[in-house]
Amino acid sequence: MQDTDTTALEAAAFRRLRQHLMVERPEVQNIDLMTLAGFCRNCLADWYREAAAERGLEMSRDEARTIVYGMPYPEFKARHQAEATPEQLAAFDASRRSP
């Protein structure tokens, strides 16, 4: 496989993940993603911004979040994110302590 094919496939997989989190499962809370997978939508936005910076492109955190969330972060948060419960916070803390 050529590098261009690999890049295209990776980009398609990223777009599919973003679509899944934005449209198909927006109710999934970031804290649950962090607990189970060790990353969340904000991490994806940070990685996107870091990739832009590596290519000499300036991008704010808000711009990257809008790309990942499909809307401004405060709007997504108001529509879909709930305050973390004590149980979610405890599970997150426990996941950070485990190897």
Side-chain angles (χ1 to χ4, degrees), residues 25-87:
R25 296 303 304 266
E27 77 281 3
V28 173
Q29 301 296 295
N30 278 339
I31 188 130
D32 295 325
L33 286 171
M34 286 296 297
T35 299
L36 296 172
F39 77 97
C40 69
R41 294 170 181 90
N42 291 327
C43 297
L44 287 174
D46 289 342
W47 299 338
Y48 195 95
R49 186 172 46 90
E50 290 168 9
E54 289 171 5
R55 287 156 185 77
L57 303 170
E58 286 191 36
M59 179 178 291
S60 72
R61 190 165 197 220
D62 287 339
E63 290 170 324
R65 281 180 167 185
T66 298
I67 290 166
V68 169
Y69 284 94
M71 63 187 71
Y73 175 65
E75 184 179 337
F76 183 91
K77 188 174 177 180
R79 285 186 185 186
H80 302 290
Q81 291 291 154
E83 287 294 320
T85 66
E87 294 81 11

Side-chain angles (χ1 to χ4, degrees), residues 89-99:
L89 292 172
F92 175 69
D93 286 342
S95 74
R96 293 177 65 191
R97 286 191 295 263
S98 63

